[in-house]
């Protein structure tokens, strides 16, 4: 199956908010279709028994066991779907075991839509490779498609260190922040802070809503989407 025919994806994530976000992200990438969403090992197994998929977006920490336990069971039952692990796990022993079971990519939480889109695009490119390799170099290039992520580019005028500072400030705020409050906390202007906050909204990592005061126009308040990403 090629990317143009639609790569069917099962999202496995115990947090309902995060699961919805991951499914939304997948649906925004051309060539990919969400075939189902599961919140546990047992539910994922039931979905896979009746729904064919090419790719599983798999959280490793599930309420009824580790994600790799699910993957071992699937391999024993003959399921050959590839896996992208979406997890906060940084244990390299777990990473090695996952690779041996067919995990083709790891996406560490927290991540942006651009990060996941890059991984999915690379996976789609890897799947379209066909025919016989002419030599070692061609094999290496095919594997490098999966293993060498492109750095996510920021909109013009935004810097990674400032984005990280704004992200951390918003994530730590109880009840959200206005652009003015975020700017004061980070040490930048309200207008600059708003550009970074709007970027986080566009990436699906924050939400905004009007905050009504006593007089004048309402201010926009931004809050971090606490989905575990």
């Amino acid at each position: 199956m090629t990317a143009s025919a639609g790569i069917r994806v099962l999202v496995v994530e115990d947090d309902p908010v995060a699961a919805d976000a991951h499914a939304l992200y997948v649906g925004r990438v051309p060539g990919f279709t969400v075939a189902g969403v599961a919140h546990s090992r047992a539910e994922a197994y039931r979905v896979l028994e009746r729904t064919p998929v090419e790719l599983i977006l798999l959280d490793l920490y599930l309420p009824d066991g580790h994600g790799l336990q699910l993957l071992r069971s699937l391999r024993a039952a003959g399921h050959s779907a590839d896996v992208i692990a979406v997890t906060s796990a940084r244990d390299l022993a777990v990473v090695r075991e996952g690779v041996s079971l067919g995990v083709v990519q790891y996406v560490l939480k927290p991540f942006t839509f651009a990060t996941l889109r890059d991984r999915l695009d690379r996976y789609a490119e890897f799947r379209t490779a066909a025919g016989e390799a002419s030599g070692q170099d061609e094999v290496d290039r095919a594997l490098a498609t999966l293993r060498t992520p492109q750095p996510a580019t920021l909109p013009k005028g935004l810097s990674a260190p400032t984005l990280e500072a704004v992200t951390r400030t918003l994530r730590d705020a109880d009840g959200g922040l206005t652009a003015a409050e975020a700017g004061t906390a980070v040490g930048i202007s309200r207008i600059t802070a708003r550009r970074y906050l709007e970027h986080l909204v566009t990436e699906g990592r924050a939400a905004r809503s009007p905050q009504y005061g006593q007089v004048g126009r309402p201010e926009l308040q931004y809050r971090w989407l606490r989905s575990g990403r």
Side-chain angles (χ1 to χ4, degrees):
M1 171 173 290
T2 64
S4 60
I7 296 172
R8 293 165 294 191
V9 182
L10 171 63
V11 174
V12 183
E13 165 65 58
D14 70 317
D15 183 331
V17 176
D20 289 345
H22 297 169
L24 177 65
Y25 281 3
V26 171
R28 289 171 61 186
V29 181
F32 290 84
T33 302
V34 178
V37 176
H39 303 295
S40 67
R41 283 177 57 200
E43 187 179 359
Y45 207 96
R46 288 194 297 270
V47 172
L48 289 167
E49 284 182 326
R50 63 178 186 270
T51 306
V53 303
E54 287 72 51
L55 180 65
I56 302 172
L57 205 61
L58 178 64
D59 182 32
L60 295 188
Y61 296 119
L62 299 171
D64 52 352
H66 200 278
L68 292 186
Q69 293 176 324
L70 168 65
L71 193 46
R72 279 192 290 270
S73 299
L74 293 175
R75 295 301 184 238
H79 289 281
S80 60
D82 292 319
V83 174
I84 295 179
V86 179
T87 178
S88 57
R90 287 166 168 77
D91 186 338
L92 291 180
V94 173
V95 172
R96 288 193 297 271
E97 182 179 3
V99 170
S100 72
L101 291 169
V103 174
V104 296
Q105 288 272 18
Y106 275 83
V107 182
L108 292 179
K109 300 177 182 179
F111 63 89
T112 65
F113 167 66
T115 297
L116 183 60
R117 179 183 58 201
D118 175 72
R119 300 306 194 277
L120 292 176
D121 285 343
R122 286 175 166 275
Y123 173 74
E125 183 179 348
F126 176 75
R127 284 185 61 88
T128 60
E132 186 172 339
S134 60
Q136 184 67 50
D137 288 348
E138 193 168 338
V139 173
D140 290 343
R141 282 195 298 272
L143 292 175
T145 299
L146 285 173
R147 305 302 182 201
T148 311
Q150 295 290 338
T153 57
L154 290 174
K156 185 177 179 180
L158 301 189
S159 73
T162 304
L163 177 60
E164 175 60 28
V166 173
T167 299
R168 185 170 55 249
T169 299
L170 185 62
R171 191 165 49 208
D172 293 343
D174 292 328
L177 292 171
T178 64
E181 291 168 338
T184 299
V186 176
I188 56 178
S189 72
R190 177 184 63 81
I191 294 175
T192 300
R194 183 173 181 178
R195 291 189 62 204
Y196 283 93
L197 291 166
E198 287 293 329
H199 174 71
L200 291 174
V201 171
T202 300
E203 289 291 329
R205 303 169 71 191
R208 64 172 177 265
S209 58
Q211 181 186 54
Y212 296 94
Q214 297 297 321
V215 293
R217 297 175 60 186
E219 285 190 277
L220 289 176
Q221 186 176 59
Y222 299 83
R223 61 181 178 81
W224 183 253
L225 293 177
R226 301 183 185 279
S227 61
R229 302 194 315 275

